[in-house]
Amino acid sequence: MLDLFKNAKKAATKLRDLSSREKNEILQAWGQDLWARREEIIEANAKDLAYGEEIALNPGLMDRLRLNEDRIQGMIDGLKVVAGLEDPIGSVDKMVENENGLRIGKMRVPIGVIAIIYEARPNVTVDCAALTFKSGNALLLRGGKEAIHSNRKLVEILRKTLEDKNLDPNFVQFVDDPTRESSKALMEAVGYVDLLIPRGSASLIRACIDQAKVPVLQTGEGNCHIYIDETADLDMALAIVENAKTQRIGVCNAMESLLVHKKIGADFLRAFKEIQVKHGIKVHGDPGTCQILDAEEATEEDWGREYLAMECSCKFVDSVDQAIDHINKYSTGHSEVIVTNSYENSQKFLQKVDSACVYVNASSRFTDGGQFGMGAEMGISTQKIHARGPVGLEELTSYKYIIYGNGQVRK
Amino acid sequence: MLDLFKNAKKAATKLRDLSSREKNEILQAWGQDLWARREEIIEANAKDLAYGEEIALNPGLMDRLRLNEDRIQGMIDGLKVVAGLEDPIGSVDKMVENENGLRIGKMRVPIGVIAIIYEARPNVTVDCAALTFKSGNALLLRGGKEAIHSNRKLVEILRKTLEDKNLDPNFVQFVDDPTRESSKALMEAVGYVDLLIPRGSASLIRACIDQAKVPVLQTGEGNCHIYIDETADLDMALAIVENAKTQRIGVCNAMESLLVHKKIGADFLRAFKEIQVKHGIKVHGDPGTCQILDAEEATEEDWGREYLAMECSCKFVDSVDQAIDHINKYSTGHSEVIVTNSYENSQKFLQKVDSACVYVNASSRFTDGGQFGMGAEMGISTQKIHARGPVGLEELTSYKYIIYGNGQVRK
């Protein structure tokens, strides 16, 4: 591992010398080479799928693991989008002159070496390589054992492209050892890893936060709420709730908890009941909502759960304030929605809800780097330090102050 | 401690409701009340000074500990500057409309609860209260035992002002227990402390990074370099070196290492020798510089040292590139200076030196929140995550995405 770390550090220094044009050419070349070698990728992926069947991986994970021509094309589309984005590196937002005549500006710079620990999705390999490379950071990829053949092949192709262009292949390195030991080594790589991003289960993320000695970016868990205000358009509310709960259930931006103003509560829930039946949604409700819906009574613990299933909690509230308090108490700080036609309540909700993404009249499913115009994402940050929400190019940068003087000394 | 933590969390929620005007009025009132009660402050400080003499605190620390009317006025001036700064909270830099018609903006919000562990300087108490209060964060102050009477009195006054204005005094809380246990409790206050800032010795900072379970902002150590390029104006270079090394020696932005291009090396060092003798600067030099200066030969370890004394390392280099490599190898990433008249070398140095503040033709002593126009500072960050360089109002904020829709759902 130490060799890998040293290579990454050396590569990070060289990456600072590449121009935007050179970086974008590599992103385009990666797309061409991935497409040219798509059969090799699908072949390697078949080995992972065979292993997945052997260990009876659940259908959701099997689906995330699977690669085909469409999905490879999807990765390549992502590369093109990232190539088209503005390069944050080297930009200086403004320079100010202080009273001594020093001109002081903040210049965007890469962070250095980024490591990611992830699980079964091989497309993460290419997304992360695109974002870290364009933002000038060296990358260490520690994928899960379920996807090892796919990841190994993808990284082999990405590195070959770099070699063909006479660049250091160590801009992207694969930790070919999907064990606890390699994760631990990354967590403790002080002086080598500048930022560690765990992307996967809650237990993986918790382990990184507890054990890492390098800075960690906390991603993920989403106990997302939708609050239906008394002034909501009920058709709009139903469409948003149906989309946020059922369009895709295993994702962090799905709705897990539904709050309804009691004034319109009975009307709304009678309409929602059709959606519940249609999709087979299991509901954990408070006593009021249990009278209308076919629901189990919710326990205290249920309000805090991220179900990741056709399941949610449901509660009547007396006011937007009560909804906000409930959310700030139980939420994981990911994405929350108010459906309302009240100007006052919409502004109050936006101001007071303390989560990464706060929506008025839209589905929480839009919390996503692609949807936010970032091309791809390293994950969704639920912490408040450094970056919050989808992590794209800009969130992978730091800055330094550059100061132009003409001989100033301090009095 | 748990009560303190809970109070802080509650206070942080209330702080979000204060307008800029209300916050600025408090900052002004703090200034008035501190001045009105200056005798009490000086009296409390006398107890700390007596204890300092008893335990034979070194003269530098005794000086940092001492309060008098001038220094109290200095704190009050800082409060006024912070009151006059733009309030970052609630600002949205820009909103973009995505292809679905969602309008997406990034709004600045407070981080929540900030804790600071610091040592002997009581003015830090007031500086930190001003910055965290204005940026909407609740503050937990854990000062050193050397300053306990001064800090206790200062916090008593700040809290009384809040009470007089019918505000929650827990916006500012004092951890009245200068023990390892209280520091440890802050480091482990997951769910309560959103950011921990250690400000003091290298060992304190290292302990926080190693042990904390809450996010830590690494501040401080400065092994700052000045590189004298072959094209430098030698008078300017001498003035900058003298200022950066001797104007104040116990500070993190003082020069600790001097690199000189060998082409002008002999000329420059003969002139520098006068400064060396005048101030009694002890030099750890490479073989070349030892031939000119009265110096000891430097060990490998000397290149990495932060002397915090009338002492520095000194070395000849062949080129700006060698200077940059040396700096990136041995620096702590704080502040570095090039003195040059070469456009090419100035740009190369600004681009390639990987430190928080990189100067052309000015003293490193300007790395300071006040000098950068921030009014005060919580410390100087030497990490790349979240904030780098002086930590002021903006660096004490996070952001959230606010999204305006009109019924959008994801396809």
Side-chain angles (χ1 to χ4, degrees), chain A residues 138-167:
Chain A
L139 177 62
L140 291 167
L141 290 153
R142 161 50 181 91
K145 68 173 178 307
E146 300 81 3
I148 186 123
H149 296 97
S150 314
N151 288 335
R152 194 184 280 150
K153 175 58 70 179
L154 290 168
V155 177
E156 180 200 316
I157 296 171
L158 300 178
R159 287 169 59 91
K160 179 70 168 46
T161 308
L162 292 166
E163 277 172 355
D164 289 348
K165 304 267 177 186
N166 291 314
L167 293 176

Short mmCIF file of all heavy atoms in Angstrom, two decimals, chain A residues 138-167:
data_model
loop_
_atom_site.label_atom_id
_atom_site.label_comp_id
_atom_site.label_asym_id
_atom_site.label_seq_id
_atom_site.Cartn_x
_atom_site.Cartn_y
_atom_site.Cartn_z
N ALA A 138 -5.21 13.21 -7.59
CA ALA A 138 -4.90 11.80 -7.79
C ALA A 138 -5.93 10.96 -7.04
O ALA A 138 -6.45 11.38 -6.00
CB ALA A 138 -3.50 11.48 -7.30
N LEU A 139 -6.23 9.78 -7.58
CA LEU A 139 -7.34 8.97 -7.05
C LEU A 139 -6.87 7.58 -6.64
O LEU A 139 -6.12 6.93 -7.36
CB LEU A 139 -8.43 8.84 -8.14
CG LEU A 139 -9.65 7.99 -7.82
CD1 LEU A 139 -10.44 8.54 -6.64
CD2 LEU A 139 -10.57 7.90 -9.05
N LEU A 140 -7.33 7.15 -5.47
CA LEU A 140 -7.14 5.77 -5.02
C LEU A 140 -8.52 5.14 -4.91
O LEU A 140 -9.36 5.60 -4.13
CB LEU A 140 -6.45 5.75 -3.65
CG LEU A 140 -4.99 6.19 -3.62
CD1 LEU A 140 -4.53 6.43 -2.19
CD2 LEU A 140 -4.12 5.12 -4.29
N LEU A 141 -8.77 4.10 -5.69
CA LEU A 141 -10.09 3.45 -5.74
C LEU A 141 -10.05 2.15 -4.97
O LEU A 141 -9.30 1.23 -5.33
CB LEU A 141 -10.46 3.15 -7.18
CG LEU A 141 -10.79 4.33 -8.10
CD1 LEU A 141 -10.47 3.99 -9.54
CD2 LEU A 141 -12.26 4.72 -7.96
N ARG A 142 -10.86 2.06 -3.93
CA ARG A 142 -10.93 0.80 -3.17
C ARG A 142 -12.37 0.31 -3.29
O ARG A 142 -13.23 0.67 -2.49
CB ARG A 142 -10.49 1.07 -1.74
CG ARG A 142 -10.86 0.12 -0.63
CD ARG A 142 -10.59 -1.32 -0.83
NE ARG A 142 -11.03 -2.05 0.36
CZ ARG A 142 -12.26 -2.57 0.52
NH1 ARG A 142 -13.18 -2.43 -0.41
NH2 ARG A 142 -12.55 -3.21 1.62
N GLY A 143 -12.64 -0.47 -4.36
CA GLY A 143 -13.98 -0.98 -4.61
C GLY A 143 -14.24 -2.26 -3.83
O GLY A 143 -13.33 -2.83 -3.23
N GLY A 144 -15.48 -2.71 -3.86
CA GLY A 144 -15.86 -3.93 -3.13
C GLY A 144 -15.47 -5.18 -3.91
O GLY A 144 -15.24 -5.14 -5.11
N LYS A 145 -15.44 -6.29 -3.18
CA LYS A 145 -15.00 -7.53 -3.83
C LYS A 145 -16.02 -8.03 -4.85
O LYS A 145 -15.66 -8.74 -5.80
CB LYS A 145 -14.66 -8.60 -2.79
CG LYS A 145 -15.83 -9.17 -1.99
CD LYS A 145 -15.33 -10.34 -1.15
CE LYS A 145 -16.46 -10.90 -0.28
NZ LYS A 145 -17.17 -9.91 0.54
N GLU A 146 -17.30 -7.64 -4.70
CA GLU A 146 -18.33 -8.08 -5.65
C GLU A 146 -18.03 -7.58 -7.07
O GLU A 146 -18.46 -8.20 -8.03
CB GLU A 146 -19.71 -7.56 -5.23
CG GLU A 146 -20.19 -8.01 -3.86
CD GLU A 146 -19.59 -7.18 -2.74
OE1 GLU A 146 -18.86 -6.22 -3.03
OE2 GLU A 146 -19.83 -7.52 -1.56
N ALA A 147 -17.35 -6.44 -7.17
CA ALA A 147 -17.14 -5.84 -8.49
C ALA A 147 -15.67 -5.87 -8.90
O ALA A 147 -15.26 -5.14 -9.80
CB ALA A 147 -17.66 -4.40 -8.48
N ILE A 148 -14.89 -6.74 -8.28
CA ILE A 148 -13.43 -6.62 -8.45
C ILE A 148 -12.96 -6.81 -9.90
O ILE A 148 -12.08 -6.09 -10.36
CB ILE A 148 -12.68 -7.58 -7.48
CG1 ILE A 148 -11.17 -7.31 -7.57
CG2 ILE A 148 -12.95 -9.04 -7.78
CD1 ILE A 148 -10.55 -6.97 -6.29
N HIS A 149 -13.58 -7.76 -10.62
CA HIS A 149 -13.11 -7.98 -12.00
C HIS A 149 -13.47 -6.81 -12.90
O HIS A 149 -12.68 -6.38 -13.73
CB HIS A 149 -13.70 -9.29 -12.56
CG HIS A 149 -13.25 -10.50 -11.81
ND1 HIS A 149 -14.00 -11.09 -10.81
CD2 HIS A 149 -12.11 -11.24 -11.89
CE1 HIS A 149 -13.35 -12.12 -10.31
NE2 HIS A 149 -12.20 -12.24 -10.96
N SER A 150 -14.68 -6.29 -12.71
CA SER A 150 -15.11 -5.14 -13.51
C SER A 150 -14.22 -3.93 -13.22
O SER A 150 -13.74 -3.26 -14.14
CB SER A 150 -16.57 -4.77 -13.18
OG SER A 150 -17.39 -5.91 -13.14
N ASN A 151 -14.03 -3.64 -11.93
CA ASN A 151 -13.23 -2.47 -11.56
C ASN A 151 -11.79 -2.59 -12.05
O ASN A 151 -11.21 -1.62 -12.54
CB ASN A 151 -13.24 -2.29 -10.04
CG ASN A 151 -14.59 -1.79 -9.53
OD1 ASN A 151 -15.33 -1.16 -10.28
ND2 ASN A 151 -14.90 -2.10 -8.29
N ARG A 152 -11.23 -3.78 -11.88
CA ARG A 152 -9.84 -4.00 -12.29
C ARG A 152 -9.69 -3.70 -13.79
O ARG A 152 -8.75 -3.04 -14.22
CB ARG A 152 -9.47 -5.44 -11.97
CG ARG A 152 -7.99 -5.73 -12.03
CD ARG A 152 -7.75 -7.22 -11.80
NE ARG A 152 -7.80 -7.59 -10.39
CZ ARG A 152 -8.19 -8.79 -9.95
NH1 ARG A 152 -8.60 -9.72 -10.82
NH2 ARG A 152 -8.18 -9.07 -8.67
N LYS A 153 -10.65 -4.21 -14.57
CA LYS A 153 -10.59 -4.00 -16.02
C LYS A 153 -10.77 -2.52 -16.37
O LYS A 153 -10.04 -1.96 -17.20
CB LYS A 153 -11.68 -4.85 -16.70
CG LYS A 153 -11.82 -4.66 -18.19
CD LYS A 153 -10.52 -4.94 -18.96
CE LYS A 153 -10.17 -6.44 -18.97
NZ LYS A 153 -8.91 -6.68 -19.75
N LEU A 154 -11.74 -1.87 -15.72
CA LEU A 154 -11.98 -0.44 -16.02
C LEU A 154 -10.73 0.39 -15.72
O LEU A 154 -10.32 1.23 -16.52
CB LEU A 154 -13.17 0.07 -15.20
CG LEU A 154 -14.55 -0.47 -15.63
CD1 LEU A 154 -15.61 -0.13 -14.57
CD2 LEU A 154 -14.96 0.09 -16.99
N VAL A 155 -10.13 0.13 -14.57
CA VAL A 155 -8.94 0.90 -14.20
C VAL A 155 -7.78 0.58 -15.15
O VAL A 155 -7.02 1.48 -15.54
CB VAL A 155 -8.55 0.66 -12.72
CG1 VAL A 155 -7.27 1.41 -12.37
CG2 VAL A 155 -9.68 1.10 -11.80
N GLU A 156 -7.68 -0.67 -15.55
CA GLU A 156 -6.62 -1.05 -16.51
C GLU A 156 -6.75 -0.21 -17.79
O GLU A 156 -5.77 0.31 -18.32
CB GLU A 156 -6.76 -2.55 -16.83
CG GLU A 156 -5.73 -3.09 -17.82
CD GLU A 156 -6.21 -4.40 -18.47
OE1 GLU A 156 -6.74 -5.28 -17.75
OE2 GLU A 156 -6.08 -4.52 -19.71
N ILE A 157 -8.00 -0.05 -18.25
CA ILE A 157 -8.23 0.72 -19.48
C ILE A 157 -7.89 2.20 -19.26
O ILE A 157 -7.21 2.84 -20.07
CB ILE A 157 -9.69 0.55 -19.97
CG1 ILE A 157 -9.92 -0.92 -20.35
CG2 ILE A 157 -10.00 1.48 -21.14
CD1 ILE A 157 -11.37 -1.28 -20.63
N LEU A 158 -8.37 2.76 -18.15
CA LEU A 158 -8.11 4.18 -17.87
C LEU A 158 -6.61 4.46 -17.79
O LEU A 158 -6.10 5.46 -18.32
CB LEU A 158 -8.78 4.61 -16.55
CG LEU A 158 -10.31 4.47 -16.46
CD1 LEU A 158 -10.80 4.88 -15.06
CD2 LEU A 158 -11.02 5.29 -17.53
N ARG A 159 -5.87 3.55 -17.15
CA ARG A 159 -4.42 3.74 -17.00
C ARG A 159 -3.68 3.58 -18.34
O ARG A 159 -2.73 4.29 -18.62
CB ARG A 159 -3.87 2.74 -15.96
CG ARG A 159 -4.27 3.11 -14.53
CD ARG A 159 -3.95 2.01 -13.54
NE ARG A 159 -2.54 1.67 -13.51
CZ ARG A 159 -1.63 2.24 -12.69
NH1 ARG A 159 -2.02 3.17 -11.85
NH2 ARG A 159 -0.38 1.86 -12.73
N LYS A 160 -4.19 2.64 -19.15
CA LYS A 160 -3.56 2.44 -20.47
C LYS A 160 -3.69 3.71 -21.33
O LYS A 160 -2.75 4.12 -22.00
CB LYS A 160 -4.25 1.24 -21.16
CG LYS A 160 -3.73 0.92 -22.55
CD LYS A 160 -2.31 0.35 -22.50
CE LYS A 160 -1.86 -0.27 -23.82
NZ LYS A 160 -2.11 0.50 -25.01
N THR A 161 -4.86 4.34 -21.26
CA THR A 161 -5.06 5.60 -22.00
C THR A 161 -4.03 6.63 -21.58
O THR A 161 -3.44 7.32 -22.41
CB THR A 161 -6.48 6.14 -21.74
OG1 THR A 161 -7.43 5.11 -21.99
CG2 THR A 161 -6.78 7.35 -22.61
N LEU A 162 -3.84 6.76 -20.27
CA LEU A 162 -2.86 7.73 -19.76
C LEU A 162 -1.46 7.41 -20.26
O LEU A 162 -0.72 8.29 -20.72
CB LEU A 162 -2.88 7.75 -18.22
CG LEU A 162 -4.16 8.32 -17.58
CD1 LEU A 162 -4.23 7.99 -16.09
CD2 LEU A 162 -4.23 9.83 -17.78
N GLU A 163 -1.09 6.12 -20.20
CA GLU A 163 0.24 5.71 -20.69
C GLU A 163 0.40 6.02 -22.18
O GLU A 163 1.45 6.51 -22.62
CB GLU A 163 0.46 4.21 -20.46
CG GLU A 163 0.93 3.90 -19.05
CD GLU A 163 0.96 2.40 -18.77
OE1 GLU A 163 0.53 1.61 -19.64
OE2 GLU A 163 1.42 2.04 -17.67
N ASP A 164 -0.66 5.72 -22.95
CA ASP A 164 -0.60 5.99 -24.40
C ASP A 164 -0.33 7.47 -24.69
O ASP A 164 0.24 7.81 -25.72
CB ASP A 164 -1.92 5.58 -25.08
CG ASP A 164 -2.07 4.07 -25.12
OD1 ASP A 164 -1.07 3.36 -24.84
OD2 ASP A 164 -3.18 3.59 -25.43
N LYS A 165 -0.79 8.34 -23.79
CA LYS A 165 -0.59 9.78 -24.00
C LYS A 165 0.65 10.27 -23.24
O LYS A 165 0.80 11.48 -22.99
CB LYS A 165 -1.82 10.55 -23.50
CG LYS A 165 -3.13 10.12 -24.12
CD LYS A 165 -3.47 10.95 -25.33
CE LYS A 165 -4.75 10.42 -25.97
NZ LYS A 165 -5.07 11.08 -27.23
N ASN A 166 1.49 9.32 -22.82
CA ASN A 166 2.73 9.67 -22.10
C ASN A 166 2.47 10.42 -20.79
O ASN A 166 3.24 11.30 -20.41
CB ASN A 166 3.68 10.48 -22.99
CG ASN A 166 4.23 9.63 -24.10
OD1 ASN A 166 4.66 8.49 -23.85
ND2 ASN A 166 4.18 10.13 -25.32
N LEU A 167 1.39 10.06 -20.13
CA LEU A 167 1.12 10.67 -18.82
C LEU A 167 1.28 9.59 -17.74
O LEU A 167 1.29 8.39 -18.02
CB LEU A 167 -0.30 11.24 -18.78
CG LEU A 167 -0.54 12.44 -19.68
CD1 LEU A 167 -2.00 12.87 -19.63
CD2 LEU A 167 0.35 13.62 -19.25
#
